[in-house]
């Protein structure tokens, strides 16, 4: 069977990092891409970059699409504009790329039913906006799909086939499991890392501050990277994944309390054993 | 004036990552390197790798050296073996490479006086042992020297000239300032990052654990890197820099409490502002 995205145009709503990258990859795969963007300047630049076959600010551009990919920021996915909702073709499979899945399913499934498939391609760079999209962004990366009992199997298959065609690795799981997992490995690290940046700033006197900055090396750069990332994205993820993030913070606090207690108590052999355990844990979280 | 390390042999005590790298770089600079190691197998392998001109397990190998670099782990630097102490030539300039400077000065300066210079070349890789040494490790890296009022200016100059010859950037500061700075940018990140690894492990149920590991990506890998590092080194640094590390942990806890409070209170604009501040702070800690 010809994949859905080869027999009809594919709609892409939003041409930022994820939408733009999807547009480029889909076109390379022979798909026809119809893109909806908010601003005329974005549309013009997207046409120059050839991110899609058609780019428009009029939602009618989605009219013939059999599959629509919603590539908007989380807040706009959770409160879609009426014009966008009205323009989605009545039979189209609709998926999204939001980084929190439970609230998105709660927002979209009651309305679209089984033809809405929650998904989350887990790829990114530090860039954003219409200049950010790049070819091959999803290659080798997990692409989570979160079907529910209502999900239409054909819609699910359409999204998974798309993910595979772009070189991503489809992973099926429940939305709640996805949200708890990303709280631990994506949203918690942002706060942990941001707090480190503030401690390195606020923990130094004015006299010490220049030395602290001079001596910071690759270890500090790595540990502080995600804490110095996009603040809008960080706040949105926290907002919309709050229960899971609170649980992750509680687990973090428990672990930090334990390590701090060993320092307070001068239990250096205990500290060495905990750090040895961490050294043993880490490879399980790394890709080959 | 010919640098001290070109007119007489340079002694290197310990040929792990730092000592081995120093040996290779010094030999390239035309110095004659006499190295003292603990075990005969290490000596044999060091000779094969040509890390020094002479390698011995007998401290007498240091007899003719005008400059001796102590490249031992922190605990062995703080409690040097009597045979090593006895073998240090009476007029030699002695320096060390330990990552905490206050306790080292307290241990060595009362005995060696002005010819002991505390120093800390801030370079490293994840490797250790006699296989780890590599050429060019110090190039472009800070090399802290911590003179005191007792320090002999000629001894200080000898160490700074050495650092410069290896391409490092000598930075003079007080030992206490060094120790407070590295607590914030090196020792604190180890605990912050280790606690993240434990939270990602302990914060997940047995059912969720495989998904958490599958979805962990580059952000988690970066934030957890130093927490999964050498446990002996992490525990030693904490032990010997305890007051500064406790102060750094207090600053960290204050910052984390604030961020967590915003999540608890649902103050998303406040959280966005804090993350924006962190984004602004981070470039100040990065090298060009």
């Amino acid at each position: 069977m010809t994949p859905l995205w080869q027999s009809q145009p594919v709609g892409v709503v939003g041409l930022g990092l994820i939408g733009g990258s999807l547009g480029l990859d889909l076109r390379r795969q022979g798909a026809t891409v119809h893109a909806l963007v908010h601003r005329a300047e974005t549309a013009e630049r997207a046409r120059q970059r050839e991110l899609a076959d058609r780019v428009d600010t009029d939602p009618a551009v989605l009219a013939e699409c059999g599959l629509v990919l919603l590539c908007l920021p989380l807040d706009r996915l959770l409160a879609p504009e009426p014009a966008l909702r009205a323009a989605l073709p009545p039979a189209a499979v609709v998926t999204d790329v939001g980084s929190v899945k439970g609230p998105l399913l709660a927002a979209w499934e009651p309305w679209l039913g089984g033809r809405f498939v929650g998904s989350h391609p887990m790829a990114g760079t530090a860039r954003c906006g219409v200049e950010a999209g790049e070819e091959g962004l999803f290659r080798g990366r997990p692409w989570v799909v979160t079907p529910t009992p209502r999900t239409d199997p054909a819609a699910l298959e359409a999204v998974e086939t798309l993910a595979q065609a772009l070189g991503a690795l489809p992973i099926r799981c429940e939305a709640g499991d996805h949200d708890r997992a990303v709280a631990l490995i994506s949203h918690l690290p942002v706060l942990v890392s941001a707090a480190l940046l503030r401690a390195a700033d606020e923990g130094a006197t004015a006299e010490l501050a220049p030395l602290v900055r001079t001596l910071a090396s690759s270890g500090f750069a790595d540990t502080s990277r995600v804490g110095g990332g996009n603040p809008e994205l960080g706040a949105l993820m926290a907002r919309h994944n709050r229960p899971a993030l609170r649980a992750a913070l509680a687990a973090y606090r428990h672990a930090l309390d334990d390590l701090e207690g060993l320092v307070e108590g001068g239990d250096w052999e205990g500290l060495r054993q905990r750090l040895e355990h961490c050294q043993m844990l880490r490879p399980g979280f790394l890709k080959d």
Side-chain angles (χ1 to χ4, degrees), chain A residues 54-76:
Chain A
R54 287 180 54 190
V55 187
D56 213 306
T57 57
D58 180 352
V61 72
L62 302 174
E64 296 159 35
C65 297
L67 173 62
V68 177
L69 313 174
L70 303 172
C71 305
L72 297 170
L74 208 46
D75 50 349
R76 291 176 59 198

Side-chain angles (χ1 to χ4, degrees), chain A residues 130-154:
Chain A
V130 69
E131 304 297 338
E134 58 183 65
E135 280 185 19
L137 185 68
F138 309 100
R139 205 176 293 139
R141 308 288 314 145
W143 185 312
V144 180
V145 289
T146 56
T148 74
R150 286 185 68 180
T151 306
D152 174 2

Side-chain angles (χ1 to χ4, degrees), chain A residues 8-12 32-35 61-68 89 91-93:
Chain A
Q8 286 175 274
V10 178
V12 176
T32 302
V33 177
H34 289 187
V61 72
L62 302 174
E64 296 159 35
C65 297
L67 173 62
V68 177
V93 170

Side-chain angles (χ1 to χ4, degrees), chain A residues 15-48:
Chain A
L15 288 173
L17 171 66
I18 301 294
S21 300
L22 285 170
L24 288 170
D25 276 5
L26 281 163
R27 295 192 69 207
R28 253 176 96 95
Q29 293 288 321
T32 302
V33 177
H34 289 187
L36 172 64
V37 299
H38 210 68
R39 302 187 312 150
E41 305 92 293
T42 309
E44 185 50 36
R45 184 61 190 132
R47 284 183 207 112
Q48 287 167 0

Side-chain angles (χ1 to χ4, degrees), chain A residues 217-261:
Chain A
S217 65
S218 60
F220 187 83
D222 282 358
T223 320
S224 67
R225 183 170 72 81
V226 298
N230 186 324
E232 282 75 26
L233 194 59
L236 279 172
M237 292 191 305
R239 176 176 190 165
H240 297 295
N241 201 17
R242 188 178 174 212
L245 180 58
R246 289 178 67 187
L249 277 163
Y252 184 76
R253 193 166 283 274
H254 183 77
L256 188 67
D257 284 350
D258 174 63
L259 294 174
E260 189 166 1

